[in-house]
Amino acid sequence: MQPIKRSRKHVEEEPTMAEPKIKYDRQLRIWGEVGQAALEEASICLLNCGPTGSEALKNLVLGGVGCITIVDGSTVQIGDLGNNFMVDAKSVGQSKAKSVCAFLQELNDSVNARFIEENPDTLITTNPSFFSQFTIVIATQLVEDSMVKLDRICREANVKLVLVRSYGLAGFVRISVKEHPIIDSKPDHFLDDLRLNNPWPELKSFVETIDLNVSEPPAAHKHIPYVVILVKMAEEWGLSHSGNLPSTREEKKEFKDLVKSKMISMDEDNYKEAIEAAFKVFAPRGISSEVQKLINDSCAEANSNSSAFWVMVAALKEFVLNEGDGEAPLEGSIPDMTSSTEHYINLQKIYLAKAEADFLVMEERVKNILKKIGRDPNSISKPTIKSFCKNARKLKLCRYRMVEDEFSNPSVTEIQKYLADEDYSGAMGFYILLRAADRFAANYNKFPGQFDGGMDEDISRLKTTALSLLTDLGCNGAVLPDDLINEMCRFGASEIHVVSAFVGGIASQEVIKLVTKQFVPMLGTYIFNGIDHKSQLLKL
């Protein structure tokens, strides 16, 4: 009889969808119904609908975002037909915002699309309260002064801001928000929450009922789940090593040899799985340093102004110190493994029961904290608390520096480090030159190389401006390559469609992360270098 690979499919079937075809089926597999609902409730404002903004918004419209508002005061020019697929020859001379809005609406009639024919810079100055109605503002092709003003406005209104720009063969994306907590961070690689080296009483009791030395019937030894094998082996190891886990390479090899020694025959897949999964025993007990940092944060002391996230973190802190005995709530799922059906089902029930018990404790603690701070004890829903418990080991918190602070109080050490690093010097060079181009425009009422003629003069002026900026950033004596400065002038502040599409795609991806509160958005300034074909993140 061959061992059977047991999985969750044998125990619980996936729910079938009522409709055979779902409009957003593929993306639902990535961020689920909760994420899609968040997208459909989001209201997005786009400032400037050139190719960069149009490409970013196109991806969000196709993804099913709830509402879009396009703000652009310009008209469609003949030159726009060469780099913006959201306008056509009939649009020339008409409102760009109106034309792009109509094209985007055709892509998805479920989206509520509207437009405002006004210059974004004017709106930022004259009507700052306008932005408070949105979930996220995507600001494209803004100069430095407008970026600083808009960032201040959005932070005061608690609106997320994504700054995007494409400039010739270069581009950048920068997120700005006070803080962005992520419960479902969806890490690429993460250890299963099995507690092999720290089993709770019910798991211990179940493991003790299974004898690793069983020989009858012959298949019984091949059907012991690797979770049971490793819990027993970890306990046996601990008895002879003062309760310590294997830590050195030699000890880890010795532990694997110990597991291997329990095999009766070489065709036992369950023992092979146990040897392969032995590294799960070596993982340190308790919560990670990242989660520890989170529960030690000053915001974890809940008050009447605390968000739902921080109330749950406060409850997590209490749980870890008390019922959790140093551990976070159990996730409650187990991976596929070779096992008898009976053992697998019993094991799954034990993990699910523990996860449910931890959830009930957390739910009670959340309610007590809400009462204490004068809030409705039921204001945080059960599904939200359950999701928090399931992902408690994977919690993330992103805090972003104000744009104004980044510009006025530069991180000199970081800038110098990037300039000196051969791999990052190109990205840092473009960061400097994009800011220098804005200074250039403020001084000369045009961008370097924007108009025919005077290229040599523009190159000289841009070089002087860049050197002045480097001095202001505390990098006296630093220089940028002449080739890079020359290329920046050759760009002429143009938006090349292929670059705009790529940078706009990156921006829309970050917007989806921010709206769904899934995956971890970029921390820092993303720079696209089309000359060297590099995408890099500068943490300034």
Side-chain angles (χ1 to χ4, degrees):
M1 180 178 175
Q2 290 296 314
I4 303 168
K5 191 88 166 181
R6 291 296 168 195
S7 73
R8 285 160 287 204
K9 289 180 288 186
H10 292 83
V11 185
E12 53 183 1
E13 293 294 325
E14 289 291 322
T16 56
M17 293 182 176
E19 298 178 20
K21 290 184 180 179
I22 301 294
K23 190 172 187 177
Y24 305 117
D25 179 56
R26 283 184 294 176
Q27 62 201 49
L28 280 168
R29 297 167 193 269
I30 300 172
W31 51 71
E33 292 181 8
V34 173
Q36 187 62 37
L39 271 178
E40 291 173 8
E41 290 168 8
S43 178
I44 310 292
C45 176
L46 172 69
L47 302 186
N48 291 315
C49 57
T52 309
S54 297
E55 289 292 336
L57 206 53
K58 174 204 71 179
N59 298 326
L60 297 171
V61 167
L62 290 171
V65 71
C67 177
I68 62 167
T69 301
I70 299 172
V71 180
D72 195 314
S74 64
T75 56
V76 179
Q77 305 299 313
I78 291 176
D80 294 323
L81 305 182
N83 66 359
N84 194 338
F85 288 141
M86 303 301 152
V87 296
D88 60 15
K90 296 175 185 176
S91 310
V92 174
Q94 295 182 15
S95 161
K96 190 184 288 185
K98 181 180 179 181
S99 300
V100 171
C101 188
F103 270 83
L104 290 174
Q105 184 72 82
E106 285 182 18
L107 296 177
N108 191 343
D109 57 10
S110 299
V111 176
N112 179 11
R114 63 189 184 118
F115 64 91
I116 295 172
E117 298 175 41
E118 189 166 348
N119 186 310
D121 294 319
T122 304
L123 198 62
I124 290 167
T125 304
T126 60
N127 190 10
S129 61
F130 168 79
F131 299 99
S132 61
Q133 63 186 291
F134 302 106
T135 310
I136 289 183
V137 174
I138 305 172
T140 68
Q141 307 304 102
L142 292 186
V143 294
E144 190 170 305
D145 184 51
S146 294
M147 285 193 280
V148 169
K149 287 178 184 175
L150 182 61
D151 182 37
R152 203 181 299 130
I153 291 165
C154 288
R155 283 188 179 240
E156 287 175 4
N158 204 26
V159 172
K160 297 175 175 67
L161 173 63
V162 180
L163 299 163
V164 195
R165 192 171 189 179
S166 67
Y167 194 107
L169 292 176
F172 86 82
V173 179
R174 162 76 148 83
I175 296 167
S176 188
V177 59
K178 286 179 185 176
E179 68 174 30
H180 177 69
I182 309 123
I183 293 174
D184 190 2
S185 61
K186 299 187 186 298
D188 291 333
H189 305 286
F190 213 81
L191 276 180
D192 297 311
D193 192 12
L194 300 177
R195 311 282 168 93
L196 302 176
N197 55 30
N198 193 16
W200 60 97
E202 291 80 5
L203 180 58
K204 270 186 179 179
S205 299
F206 172 72
V207 168
E208 286 167 4
T209 64
I210 299 173
D211 182 8
L212 292 189
N213 298 316
V214 65
S215 56
E216 292 295 333
H221 197 258
K222 296 179 179 180
H223 288 167
I224 299 171
Y226 80 72
V227 166
V228 173
I229 296 168
L230 289 177
V231 169
K232 281 184 173 289
M233 292 297 94
E235 185 180 8
E236 185 177 326
W237 175 275
L239 290 173
S240 58
H241 292 81
S242 306
N244 296 319
L245 298 172
S247 56
T248 65
R249 180 179 293 184
E250 291 74 21
E251 285 180 338
K252 290 175 182 179
K253 184 180 182 302
E254 190 182 333
F255 180 84
K256 289 180 181 180
D257 290 341
L258 177 65
V259 175
K260 193 174 182 179
S261 69
K262 304 295 180 180
M263 294 177 75
I264 293 175
S265 64
M266 295 308 294
D267 66 341
E268 294 183 313
D269 289 339
N270 56 335
Y271 275 85
K272 290 176 185 177
E273 288 173 3
I275 293 166
E276 288 175 4
F279 69 94
K280 296 176 183 179
V281 174
F282 311 149
R285 301 181 182 101
I287 58 175
S288 68
S289 58
E290 197 165 359
V291 174
Q292 186 67 54
K293 185 179 177 183
L294 201 59
I295 64 177
N296 288 342
D297 194 287
S298 59
C299 292
E301 301 298 327
N303 58 55
S304 57
N305 297 317
S306 294
S307 66
F309 176 80
W310 285 113
V311 169
M312 291 188 288
V313 170
L316 175 63
K317 185 176 185 176
E318 292 179 1
F319 179 92
V320 170
L321 292 172
N322 296 283
E323 297 87 357
D325 192 26
E327 297 276 8
L330 188 76
E331 285 182 33
S333 59
I334 57 175
D336 300 347
M337 64 188 74
T338 301
S339 169
S340 67
T341 302
E342 182 186 2
H343 284 339
Y344 191 88
I345 291 174
N346 287 335
L347 200 58
Q348 190 177 53
K349 285 179 179 178
I350 289 165
Y351 275 85
L352 286 171
K354 169 65 172 167
E356 182 65 17
D358 287 354
F359 157 70
L360 292 172
V361 171
M362 276 288 291
E363 183 185 31
E364 191 60 32
R365 288 197 172 277
V366 167
K367 286 182 176 181
N368 289 339
I369 290 169
L370 287 168
K371 281 181 192 174
K372 195 188 300 182
I373 61 177
R375 302 244 290 271
D376 178 2
N378 298 309
S379 58
I380 301 177
S381 69
K382 283 191 176 188
T384 301
I385 300 171
K386 187 155 274 191
S387 175
F388 184 92
C389 291
K390 185 179 179 181
N391 295 287
R393 297 186 308 136
K394 307 166 190 172
L395 301 174
K396 298 284 183 183
L397 179 69
C398 298
R399 285 181 171 134
Y400 296 87
R401 198 177 180 196
M402 280 190 75
V403 174
E404 184 176 20
D405 187 42
E406 179 184 318
F407 289 170
S408 59
N409 298 302
S411 302
V412 181
T413 306
E414 290 299 309
I415 294 171
Q416 290 174 338
K417 183 187 78 175
Y418 286 130
L419 285 171
D421 187 325
E422 187 178 342
D423 194 41
Y424 277 85
S425 58
M428 194 66 225
F430 273 127
Y431 174 86
I432 300 291
L433 287 172
L434 284 166
R435 291 186 59 188
D438 286 345
R439 285 196 180 187
F440 184 105
N443 291 332
Y444 303 108
N445 295 316
K446 66 165 190 171
F447 285 98
Q450 187 174 8
F451 304 117
D452 292 337
M455 180 65 78
D456 290 341
E457 185 180 28
D458 281 1
I459 290 172
S460 176
R461 285 174 170 176
L462 181 60
K463 186 174 184 177
T464 303
T465 306
L467 287 172
S468 173
L469 178 58
L470 282 166
T471 301
D472 292 346
L473 293 173
C475 299
N476 295 35
V479 293
L480 299 178
D482 287 342
D483 287 349
L484 205 59
I485 295 170
N486 294 347
E487 287 299 319
M488 198 70 180
C489 288
R490 285 182 61 208
F491 294 163
S494 62
E495 287 184 79
I496 302 170
H497 180 263
V498 67
V499 176
S500 298
F502 185 82
V503 174
I506 295 291
S508 57
Q509 177 178 281
E510 297 308 302
V511 169
I512 288 171
K513 291 178 187 177
L514 292 167
V515 170
T516 62
K517 295 186 178 178
Q518 297 178 24
F519 302 95
V520 182
M522 296 187 296
L523 273 167
T525 301
Y526 166 84
I527 299 288
F528 172 68
N529 177 349
I531 295 175
D532 297 328
H533 305 286
K534 285 183 178 180
S535 290
Q536 293 170 310
L537 206 58
L538 303 176
K539 295 184 178 179
L540 302 169

